[in-house]
Amino acid sequence: AGAAQSEAEVELIEVIHKALSDGRKLLFEQVEGRIASLLSAPSAGEGEHFLQVLEWTHCFISCGESFCESRVTNLRKHISRTCASFF
């Protein structure tokens, strides 16, 4: 009985771990989309504020890549397009 309960607990922990791991990417994708929307606002690319926004976005991308354990591509593409239009 003890071994069966222990096995069931291990299975439960594995299921929870997988759900949390999969959920990280989905969560970050939602946040990433919202950040991209904010960056699309006309005021995001104005004057000296643009460089600060760019710096914060790169910091956010680094955090996101650590959180998701994968490369953040959508937001990087958005930043590239935004920079191209600014410069």
Side-chain angles (χ1 to χ4, degrees):
Q5 182 180 357
S6 182
E7 239 178 79
E9 289 172 352
V10 168
E11 283 183 40
L12 178 62
I13 290 170
E14 288 173 352
V15 168
I16 291 171
H17 180 267
K18 183 176 179 350
L20 290 173
S21 293
D22 293 346
R24 282 189 297 190
K25 184 146 179 73
L26 294 173
L27 173 65
F28 187 76
E29 285 173 356
Q30 286 183 347
V31 173
E32 182 182 32
R34 291 185 182 181
I35 296 290
S37 293
L38 290 172
L39 292 173
S40 296
S43 61
E46 291 180 355
E48 72 275 357
H49 298 288
F50 177 73
L51 296 176
Q52 184 67 50
V53 168
L54 190 61
E55 182 181 336
W56 290 342
T57 304
H58 281 293
C59 181
F60 176 76
I61 288 171
S62 294
C63 292
E65 288 175 340
S66 294
F67 181 70
C68 292
E69 298 177 342
S70 65
R71 188 159 170 83
V72 174
T73 55
N74 293 337
L75 197 51
R76 285 186 186 280
K77 288 176 186 175
H78 187 81
I79 287 294
S80 294
R81 287 190 306 268
T82 304
C83 287
S85 67
F86 184 75
F87 298 108

